[in-house]
Amino acid sequence: MHIQIAAVGKLKEKYLVLGIAEYAKRLGPYVKLTLTEVPDERAPETMSAAEEAMVREREGERLLSVIKPDAHVIALALDGELWSSEDLAGQLDSLATYGRSHVAFVIGGSNGLAPAVMKRAQQKLSFGRMTLPHQLMRLVLLEQVYRAVKINRGEPYHK
């Protein structure tokens, strides 16, 4: 299975870089993992609704440009479905079983995801109603993907 995490912005914090590297290493024997960063759009701290929409649109175009046409896209969104770790494992197993072996998880920037990205997504996933920094979300998602792989293989880790 090929798992892609496409995200807006460059990771800067060393602890996040190290954590992501650790889970990428752990996933290495099980999946092909691609971590794709697209540049965030420079914008002032305070923006009008139109400016926020423009930022989302530009970042969305960048995200869509790095996702292959055959990818099954799962967008991370506050209004997405709430899955347990076992639900995620089941989703990944089902996708692999039915020939959708390229799964792209998409994480937007601080202003969220563009409507075009949401339209491209086959599923929306939420990690809860709390807002998490998009950079931290990469680490949380990667840990959950690793947990899902271990669950699907019947190997210890997930308890």
Side-chain angles (χ1 to χ4, degrees), residues 31-56:
V31 300
K32 178 182 180 201
L33 179 67
T34 305
L35 303 171
T36 309
E37 295 178 339
V38 300
D40 53 351
E41 186 69 19
R42 297 201 181 275
E45 280 295 316
T46 55
M47 292 183 281
S48 68
E51 289 170 320
E52 282 185 19
M54 181 64 74
V55 166
R56 276 192 303 274

Side-chain angles (χ1 to χ4, degrees), residues 5 7 11 16 20 76-78 106-108 125-128 130-144:
I5 297 177
L11 280 178
L16 292 173
I20 287 170
L76 273 63
L78 285 173
V106 183
I107 302 172
L125 171 62
S126 174
F127 278 74
M130 291 184 185
T131 302
L132 296 172
H134 58 278
Q135 293 185 347
L136 176 61
M137 197 62 241
R138 292 184 215 181
L139 178 58
V140 173
L141 174 61
L142 207 49
E143 188 279 335
Q144 285 297 303

Side-chain angles (χ1 to χ4, degrees), residues 9-94:
K10 183 163 179 57
L11 280 178
K12 299 170 188 129
E13 290 83 2
K14 186 176 180 180
Y15 73 96
L16 292 173
V17 171
L18 292 172
I20 287 170
E22 175 62 28
Y23 282 105
K25 180 179 82 174
R26 290 183 188 190
L27 278 164
Y30 306 113
V31 300
K32 178 182 180 201
L33 179 67
T34 305
L35 303 171
T36 309
E37 295 178 339
V38 300
D40 53 351
E41 186 69 19
R42 297 201 181 275
E45 280 295 316
T46 55
M47 292 183 281
S48 68
E51 289 170 320
E52 282 185 19
M54 181 64 74
V55 166
R56 276 192 303 274
E57 192 67 32
R58 288 181 180 154
E59 291 173 347
E61 289 169 3
R62 291 177 189 138
L63 285 167
L64 291 171
S65 75
V66 299
I67 297 170
K68 293 189 176 178
D70 66 335
H72 181 89
V73 177
I74 301 174
L76 273 63
L78 285 173
D79 65 342
E81 295 178 50
L82 294 170
W83 294 345
S84 67
S85 298
E86 291 79 11
D87 291 337
L88 176 59
Q91 291 287 332
L92 293 178
D93 189 51
S94 178

Side-chain angles (χ1 to χ4, degrees), residues 106-125:
V106 183
I107 302 172
S110 56
N111 293 300
L113 288 168
V117 175
M118 299 306 278
K119 184 176 180 181
R120 170 69 176 86
Q122 284 85 8
Q123 294 176 287
K124 294 192 300 183
L125 171 62

